[in-house]
Amino acid sequence: MENREMFDEINALVGAVAKAFDTSETEVITAIEQGRLGMEMRVDEDGRNFIDASLDERSVRIYQGAIFREDDSGPETSGDGDDDDCGGGGCSCGH
């Protein structure tokens, strides 16, 4: 019998990494196998958990519901309270 205790979580993480780097899940798996993908669980200055992922020369921060790329404006709030979930824009969540 297969141990699939974390299967759904790992599958979701691979999908999020693929979306963050605008590539396929197959490419993410290949990058893992080749040692080209690095991931680290971190906490930002506001206490929010995120995955710091790097693939080749690119890096991203993957939050629950938001992706911040190096060239994005970053997690800044507008002060009106509407953007608390993602930090105010510069991500792919729609703000």
Side-chain angles (χ1 to χ4, degrees):
M1 184 162 107
E2 254 182 82
N3 183 355
R4 292 184 164 226
E5 182 177 331
M6 300 288 296
F7 183 80
D8 291 336
E9 291 85 354
I10 293 169
N11 198 30
L13 178 60
V14 168
V17 171
K19 181 176 181 177
F21 288 112
D22 194 28
T23 190
S24 69
E25 292 180 3
T26 302
E27 177 58 29
V28 170
I29 299 298
T30 300
I32 292 170
E33 292 171 344
Q34 294 174 346
R36 296 177 18 238
L37 178 72
M39 290 187 288
E40 184 178 354
M41 294 172 28
R42 302 193 59 192
V43 178
D44 69 11
E45 57 278 353
D46 295 324
R48 297 177 297 186
N49 297 322
F50 69 95
I51 301 291
D52 189 10
S54 60
L55 176 63
D56 300 328
E57 299 296 318
R58 301 176 293 165
S59 65
V60 296
R61 286 184 175 195
I62 303 171
Y63 290 83
Q64 181 70 33
I67 297 168
F68 292 93
R69 295 178 178 88
E70 286 180 339
D71 57 348
D72 289 338
S73 64
E76 298 175 5
T77 58
S78 64
D80 62 6
D82 291 335
D83 298 329
D84 289 339
D85 291 341
C86 75
C91 65
S92 63
C93 74
H95 281 105

